[in-house]
Amino acid sequence: MQMRKSPRQQRSRQTVERIIDAGRTVLADQGYDAFSTNRVAAVAGISPGSLYQYFGDKDAILTIVIDRYWDEVAEQVAASLNDRIGPGTIGLDGVRSILDALFSALERNPALLRVLTEQLPQVANRERRHALEQRIRDVLVTYLTARPESSRRPDVDLAAWVLVMAVQNVALRWSLDRPGFNRDRVLDEVVVLVGGYLLA
Amino acid sequence: MQMRKSPRQQRSRQTVERIIDAGRTVLADQGYDAFSTNRVAAVAGISPGSLYQYFGDKDAILTIVIDRYWDEVAEQVAASLNDRIGPGTIGLDGVRSILDALFSALERNPALLRVLTEQLPQVANRERRHALEQRIRDVLVTYLTARPESSRRPDVDLAAWVLVMAVQNVALRWSLDRPGFNRDRVLDEVVVLVGGYLLA
DNA sequence: CTTGTATGCGAGCAAACACTCGCGTCAGGC
DNA sequence: GCCTGACGCGAGTGTTTGCTCGCATACAAG
């Protein structure tokens, strides 16, 4: 179920925002198990009944929190992407700064990222993450097509898919697992991974 | 909680196996939501009470199903790895056949793989997947150290980590999302990814 | 056969929790 | 200032589900 009715007055618009904030807070601070409607309502400082005036069910709140999170990540990566993609050939330093943006975006809210990726049924994230991936793949494909000299891979779609899948997991797992490796060196290695693949 | 007591008689050992089988069946066929103790017991053809003679709680059954699954995957990959690692330098065709083994292992039980990775809280898989990753990383590190001519990466540990993370996700997502790409061509690309990275 | 133990049963308990409903309160247009 | 609908309340309901417990049955040792 989705949003039940839209808030008309000022007061209720604040209520809706407080519910969403409370949802994010509970998720990030106490985990998915604690994410009960009663608790979210309590943290939001409202009653459980009020919650159901605007949200059809528990999942509706969860969905909004998830959507907002991935939208923020997408926004930051897209910003860096658009900055670099205008001029001419990107070059390895450009790749690096885009990767840097991705890493930074994932570092913004580690607690929430952890809960979203480790405690939630992934099916909840699936749609949004696919959208994010698709968005980046599209940019990649148009870039690689426009500048064939920057890649030796024959199938552009396939190359973009492989790169996104590979890079995504390196970034994600570095953010979540915090292995002992230095951030800058990991970035360097990913740049090599990408460059080596495209120009092999 | 763990295993509550071990089965002494033949009869009860069969019961335990039937419970585990039922657990796997319910998970793969009906998903995690349907994975209730009562239903598992029903599918196993026993009563809920009997189930708790051997398993401390619901999670104990789940854990065993997960462990067995990842152990099987690890076994198949390790087998291919050990076959290839004995002789001398592996070479790109050797890399390819190891990757092939990984893909095949993930293709064995797609339904269960999907439920484990998409519906379960990932924290349940975490330990086992880390163990699997660590195992492969160790093999990689010893190989790369023993044959420095096969890689130009300065930090062997870091290189192994990056490769495992990158390759893992490509394999996993290809198995789960079934994008339109031909299996062999994906394998080829991953070989290029690995080779290009190590020899860049 | 007897007896102690391992195994199995299944109705039912207790807790958690998503969600409702009837009623009181307040905002804001006229 | 009034009046109507939007807003908010919170105790309560219905259901689900993990798990127990007292008892029956099957097994194996002596």
Side-chain angles (χ1 to χ4, degrees):
Chain A
M1 206 186 290
Q2 295 283 5
M3 210 71 114
R4 182 161 283 176
K5 74 179 182 192
S6 9
R8 308 249 167 235
Q9 304 179 359
Q10 178 85 18
R11 182 171 44 139
S12 55
R13 249 168 281 149
Q14 282 181 2
T15 302
V16 168
E17 280 309 309
R18 278 201 303 188
I19 293 171
I20 298 173
D21 281 350
R24 180 170 44 230
T25 303
V26 170
L27 264 188
D29 294 355
Q30 319 203 57
Y32 184 53
D33 287 343
F35 187 77
S36 72
T37 52
N38 290 342
R39 188 182 298 253
V40 170
V43 171
I46 59 156
S47 103
S50 305
L51 193 151
Y52 283 93
Q53 294 234 337
Y54 307 102
F55 297 93
D57 56 15
K58 183 176 142 171
D59 259 20
I61 307 171
L62 187 62
T63 300
I64 292 199
V65 172
I66 293 174
D67 285 359
R68 288 201 178 178
Y69 178 81
W70 288 115
D71 278 352
E72 282 169 22
V73 172
E75 219 51 55
Q76 294 174 65
V77 177
S80 171
L81 215 60
N82 288 333
D83 277 1
R84 292 278 168 175
I85 214 134
T89 304
I90 288 191
L92 291 186
D93 56 330
V95 172
R96 207 194 130 99
S97 78
I98 294 169
L99 291 173
D100 194 15
L102 172 60
F103 274 62
S104 297
L106 294 179
E107 284 168 327
R108 275 281 263 271
N109 195 343
L112 187 54
L113 175 64
R114 165 156 283 119
V115 173
L116 293 190
T117 54
E118 292 188 348
Q119 296 183 22
L120 252 58
Q122 284 303 61
V123 73
N125 289 308
R126 198 176 177 183
E127 216 172 323
R128 274 289 149 171
R129 264 178 62 183
H130 272 68
L132 172 54
E133 289 163 18
Q134 188 65 47
R135 197 166 156 185
I136 297 180
R137 278 170 59 194
D138 285 344
V139 176
L140 252 177
V141 166
T142 49
Y143 177 80
L144 291 177
T145 311
R147 310 196 181 278
E149 75 276 10
S150 58
S151 160
R152 296 209 184 101
R153 300 286 93 228
D155 186 334
V156 184
D157 291 312
L158 177 52
W161 182 82
V162 168
L163 280 182
V164 169
M165 293 302 138
V167 169
Q168 178 193 67
N169 204 44
V170 173
L172 203 59
R173 297 293 298 274
W174 186 79
S175 297
L176 289 176
D177 299 346
R178 293 278 145 185
F181 308 116
N182 174 276
R183 185 187 195 275
D184 286 333
R185 294 183 65 189
V186 173
L187 275 177
D188 289 339
E189 292 300 298
V190 181
V191 171
V192 173
L193 184 72
V194 173
Y197 171 65
L198 288 177
L199 303 174
Chain B
M1 208 187 291
Q2 295 284 3
M3 208 71 114
R4 183 160 285 175
K5 74 181 182 191
S6 15
R8 308 248 168 236
Q9 304 180 0
Q10 178 86 17
R11 183 170 44 138
S12 55
R13 249 168 283 149
Q14 283 182 359
T15 303
V16 168
E17 279 309 308
R18 279 201 304 189
I19 293 171
I20 297 173
D21 281 350
R24 180 170 44 230
T25 303
V26 170
L27 264 188
D29 294 354
Q30 319 202 52
Y32 183 53
D33 287 344
F35 187 78
S36 73
T37 53
N38 290 342
R39 188 182 296 253
V40 170
V43 171
I46 59 157
S47 103
S50 305
L51 194 150
Y52 283 94
Q53 294 236 336
Y54 307 103
F55 298 93
D57 56 14
K58 184 174 142 171
D59 258 21
I61 306 171
L62 186 64
T63 301
I64 290 198
V65 172
I66 293 174
D67 284 0
R68 286 202 179 178
Y69 178 81
W70 288 115
D71 278 352
E72 281 169 22
V73 173
E75 220 52 55
Q76 294 174 65
V77 177
S80 172
L81 215 60
N82 288 332
D83 277 2
R84 293 277 168 176
I85 213 136
T89 303
I90 287 189
L92 291 185
D93 57 331
V95 171
R96 207 194 129 99
S97 79
I98 293 170
L99 292 173
D100 194 14
L102 172 61
F103 274 62
S104 297
L106 295 179
E107 283 168 328
R108 275 282 264 270
N109 195 343
L112 188 54
L113 175 64
R114 165 155 282 118
V115 174
L116 292 191
T117 55
E118 292 188 348
Q119 295 183 23
L120 251 58
Q122 284 305 60
V123 72
N125 288 308
R126 198 175 178 184
E127 216 174 323
R128 275 288 149 169
R129 265 178 62 184
H130 272 67
L132 172 55
E133 289 164 16
Q134 188 63 49
R135 197 167 155 183
I136 296 180
R137 279 170 59 194
D138 286 344
V139 176
L140 252 177
V141 167
T142 50
Y143 177 81
L144 292 177
T145 311
R147 308 193 183 281
E149 76 277 10
S150 57
S151 160
R152 295 209 185 102
R153 300 286 95 227
D155 186 334
V156 185
D157 291 311
L158 177 53
W161 182 81
V162 168
L163 280 182
V164 169
M165 293 302 137
V167 169
Q168 178 193 68
N169 205 43
V170 174
L172 203 60
R173 296 294 299 273
W174 187 80
S175 297
L176 288 176
D177 299 345
R178 294 277 145 184
F181 309 115
N182 175 276
R183 185 186 195 275
D184 285 334
R185 294 182 66 189
V186 173
L187 276 177
D188 289 339
E189 293 299 297
V190 181
V191 171
V192 173
L193 184 72
V194 173
Y197 172 64
L198 287 178
L199 303 173

